[in-house]
Amino acid sequence: MDDLRPAAVLVTHGVLGTELVRTVERILGPQTDVAVVSNDGLSADGLVAALEASLDSLVPGQAAVVFSDLAAGSCGLAARRAGASGRVVRRITGANLPMLLEFFHYRGTIPLDDLLPRMETKGRAGIVSS
């Protein structure tokens, strides 16, 4: 494992996170250092606790990006409330497939602070109205 490669933790409504990761893996192949937390059946505090447990399960000191599907609502709020477990944690909302593909494709080759704006650009570029 590359210690510089950040982990991903998706916190989403229902099975959205699981399906996004499954789709990423169909395109890019199997991924490691990724966890999914669903809000299914969890209170607000329970969701924060589940997210913190996912972060705690990562390699000590490994940076992580917490992706949430919405900025507001239980998942976005949990992402903001969750403690960082003594690691670098970046948060990004509005998770979509183009953004995740960018992250998983480049997370081992581009510094995290440079990758975040690229992910945001790809995520926005994936939204087209015609």
Side-chain angles (χ1 to χ4, degrees):
M1 184 190 95
D2 181 354
D3 289 334
L4 300 177
R5 196 171 88 156
V9 180
L10 284 76
V11 56
T12 64
H13 290 80
V15 297
L16 179 60
T18 299
E19 294 304 322
L20 283 168
V21 171
R22 187 181 314 212
T23 303
V24 165
E25 289 182 332
R26 288 194 71 157
I27 296 169
L28 297 179
Q31 298 298 311
T32 59
D33 303 317
V34 59
V36 177
V37 177
S38 171
N39 72 340
D40 255 358
L42 296 177
S43 66
D45 289 338
L47 185 55
V48 171
L51 179 53
E52 287 176 339
S54 284
L55 288 168
D56 288 344
S57 72
L58 299 175
V59 173
Q62 183 179 25
V65 177
V66 175
F67 294 89
S68 62
D69 50 6
L70 296 172
S74 61
C75 297
L77 294 173
R80 287 193 298 279
R81 287 182 51 205
S85 303
R87 71 182 72 249
V88 172
V89 174
R90 300 290 188 262
R91 294 161 177 88
I92 190 161
T93 63
N96 63 21
L97 187 57
M99 171 190 299
L100 291 169
L101 289 170
E102 189 76 3
F103 174 78
F104 285 110
H105 187 75
Y106 290 106
R107 68 178 167 159
T109 60
I110 296 174
L112 185 55
D113 287 336
D114 295 335
L115 183 54
L116 287 170
R118 285 179 62 131
M119 291 171 12
E120 183 176 348
T121 299
K122 287 290 185 175
R124 289 178 192 269
I127 302 168
V128 178
S129 175
S130 60

